[in-house]
Amino acid sequence: MELPYAEPYKIKMVESIKRSTQEQRKQWIKEAYYNLFNLSSDKVFIDLLTDSGTGAMSDKQWGAMMEGDESYAGSRSFLKLKETIQFITGFEYVLPTHQGRAAENVLFSAMVKEGNIVPGNSHFDTTKGHIEFRKATAVDCTIDEAFNTTNLHPFKGNIDLKKLEKVLKENTKDNIPFIVVTITCNSSGGQPVSMQNIKEVSALCKSYKIPIIFDSARFAENAYFIKSREKEYRNHTIKEIAKEFFSYGDGMTMSSKKDGLVNMGGFIALNSEKVYKQCTVFTIMYEGFLTYGGMSGRDMAALAVGLDEATEFDYLESRIEQVGYLGKKLVEFNVPVQKPFGGHAIFIDANKFVPTIPRDEYRAQALAIELYIVGGIRSVEIGTVLADRDPFTRKNRYPELELVRLAIPRRTYSQNHMDYIAVVLKNIYDSREQAKSGYNIIDEAPIMRHFTVKFEKI
Ligand code: F0G
């Protein structure tokens, strides 16, 4: 019999999480105006709001923290971090930042100008936000297969070369500062980009002399998918794969809160000294001096260790397979989920789960609320609430998919937690026909409404 995967670590410290009753949760979510962001964490049993900054550090990372060097300039911890990033990515120039969006802010301040076009694969919200804030346009060139939750394409994060070439042809080189390749692609469901696709995009971009920037938040998970799904890479190490795909690009922004295995942090890494020099001005203005950029020395020390651990096969196997384990359980229970399963999260297809709730009553949000009430599980809506209103007509934008994301924090929950989540969802699914109505919005911000929106139950 083939051996199942097993976590390459054991538990040294535990953190209590609180159980509560359905009656309590009904009251709490009502008091929170049915917005899961408004709940204090002690009212949540299993927190799947995000996998960002919510993972567990290792003993080696905690040990490294004790050796953090807090010097303002020339910190040893920065030098160690820089060496690690250079070793893993091959990029020469490194600037730390306090998180991923700060890396975007610094790099885009240097590179993106009003009127620019920035093609990519389903840009993450903050990436798109930082492009649009500069009055530039993000053009989505993801392959069409990504938007069909049952299509089993192994690399649904891939860029459609025809769509990309069209954008490159229709614009001048000066108007496209770079292409963003998001690995893995969060907005299309934690779906990977293949090495083959990265190579082809790189060749195309080289012929148009346009640089490639990787949005690398989950780059190690992407490397794991390449190793397990592209047969030429079966015998490569994760570090070899990562080094190879980075070699096809010109730089990266990183949210270290994901595949850096730390709770806060980010960085920019680049090939070009010229762009690096332009970025240094903005790093100093927005983040801090070049050798700490918004991070404590101890956090940089922990990140250097985290990047090394996150690019080890055994860790990644247990990480990705745990997410897959939850996915498989849900499929066994007939719960409609996006396939193939993503690297960091399982996405529930609310259009198929609760078609009985009208779309203008926010069916994915209604399902996320039910998941909280029934099981104390906090997820996040990726649907009409998140899609916000059209800035001109102020009408709701109805995206193709109404999803509920179950993001799994790294090295944090056990297989039993996964079983618990699956059974809660099964029970909700089995009584789904009773769900007939959802929620009305009673208060919302003009943009990014999902964080603070208030609902009432219909
Ligand atoms: N890029 C991607 C692909 C992301 O998923 C995120 C954050 C960022 C950039 C921004 O990084 O949060 O460190 O500023 N994603 C989180 C999530 C928030 O829940 O998916 P950050």
Side-chain angles (χ1 to χ4, degrees), residues 50 99-101 104 124 186 215 218 255 257-258 405:
T50 178
Q99 62 182 88
R101 66 199 72 185
E104 291 163 357
F124 182 66
N186 189 3
D215 176 351
R218 300 178 181 85
S255 168
K257 302 169 73 170
K258 287 89 167 168
R405 183 180 81 168

Side-chain angles (χ1 to χ4, degrees), residues 327-335:
K328 278 183 213 123
K329 283 262 142 171
L330 291 172
V331 169
E332 277 169 31
F333 295 147
N334 297 318
V335 175

Side-chain angles (χ1 to χ4, degrees), residues 131-253:
I131 292 167
E132 291 177 351
F133 182 72
R134 292 173 172 80
K135 299 196 166 56
T137 308
V139 180
D140 187 5
C141 298
T142 315
I143 56 170
D144 290 335
E145 287 89 333
F147 305 102
N148 172 355
T149 57
T150 54
N151 184 311
L152 290 177
H153 193 295
F155 291 100
K156 280 166 125 180
N158 278 0
I159 290 193
D160 184 322
L161 294 162
K162 288 208 183 77
K163 290 186 195 173
L164 177 60
E165 180 142 36
K166 185 165 181 286
V167 181
L168 301 184
K169 268 195 186 133
E170 285 171 0
N171 292 276
T172 61
K173 176 186 163 314
D174 294 342
N175 210 29
I176 305 179
F178 52 84
I179 314 288
V180 182
V181 181
T182 310
I183 47 174
T184 61
C185 188
N186 189 3
S187 308
S188 72
Q191 300 293 327
V193 181
S194 69
M195 190 72 90
Q196 176 72 26
N197 189 247
I198 293 173
K199 278 189 208 171
E200 287 164 359
V201 169
S202 170
L204 184 61
C205 289
K206 278 211 173 73
S207 70
Y208 284 83
K209 297 199 169 55
I210 292 176
I212 294 176
I213 298 294
F214 291 102
D215 176 351
S216 318
R218 300 178 181 85
F219 77 95
E221 293 171 5
N222 201 95
Y224 177 84
F225 283 119
I226 289 177
K227 183 173 168 73
S228 52
R229 295 183 186 169
E230 270 180 289
K231 55 178 184 313
E232 307 87 291
Y233 291 92
R234 201 178 294 154
N235 297 323
H236 286 55
T237 66
I238 297 294
K239 285 186 173 70
E240 284 164 355
I241 293 171
K243 185 82 143 268
E244 180 173 337
F245 59 60
F246 284 127
S247 77
Y248 299 123
D250 303 89
M252 65 190 281
T253 55

Side-chain angles (χ1 to χ4, degrees), residues 364-381:
Q365 178 68 15
L367 179 55
I369 293 166
E370 192 62 11
L371 184 56
Y372 172 68
I373 292 174
V374 175
I377 299 161
R378 172 154 65 177
S379 56
V380 71
E381 190 253 23

